[in-house]
Amino acid sequence: SHLFSLGMTLLYAAEYNGEPGQQICSELRELFGCMTSEHLDTRPDLESIITQCEEELCGKSSQEICCGIGGFVAPFTPAPGKN
């Protein structure tokens, strides 16, 4: 169930936090699809996921990718009177 949750989180982040019109590559879409499969026996193991993600990063650090995604998220604004 953890891989399913991770797959859904990554898919959401890639689809909804990127630049408008930007598509995620077919390899990652396929990986996220496998991770979120309803059939446990078809989900890849964690080591396979890590290996494929490292290959897809093409030399970029995961920190660069996360910061790029985070740059599209609206900044946190505390509720009035909660400072």
Side-chain angles (χ1 to χ4, degrees):
S1 69
H2 295 296
L3 291 180
F4 180 89
S5 297
L6 177 61
M8 289 303 289
T9 300
L10 293 171
L11 181 61
Y12 177 83
E15 287 188 341
Y16 299 103
N17 289 324
E19 294 184 31
Q22 182 180 356
Q23 298 285 323
I24 61 174
C25 67
S26 61
E27 292 85 0
L28 286 179
R29 182 171 297 283
E30 182 179 332
L31 176 64
F32 298 157
C34 290
M35 290 172 70
T36 58
S37 172
E38 292 183 15
H39 306 286
L40 293 174
D41 57 325
T42 62
R43 290 184 194 162
D45 61 35
L46 184 58
E47 287 299 317
S48 298
I49 293 168
I50 291 170
T51 299
Q52 186 168 354
C53 288
E54 286 174 344
E55 290 171 2
E56 294 298 327
L57 287 175
C58 300
K60 289 185 179 179
S61 74
S62 57
Q63 182 178 3
E64 286 179 282
I65 303 294
C66 290
C67 287
I69 291 171
F72 296 106
V73 177
F76 174 75
T77 305
K82 301 270 182 175
N83 299 358

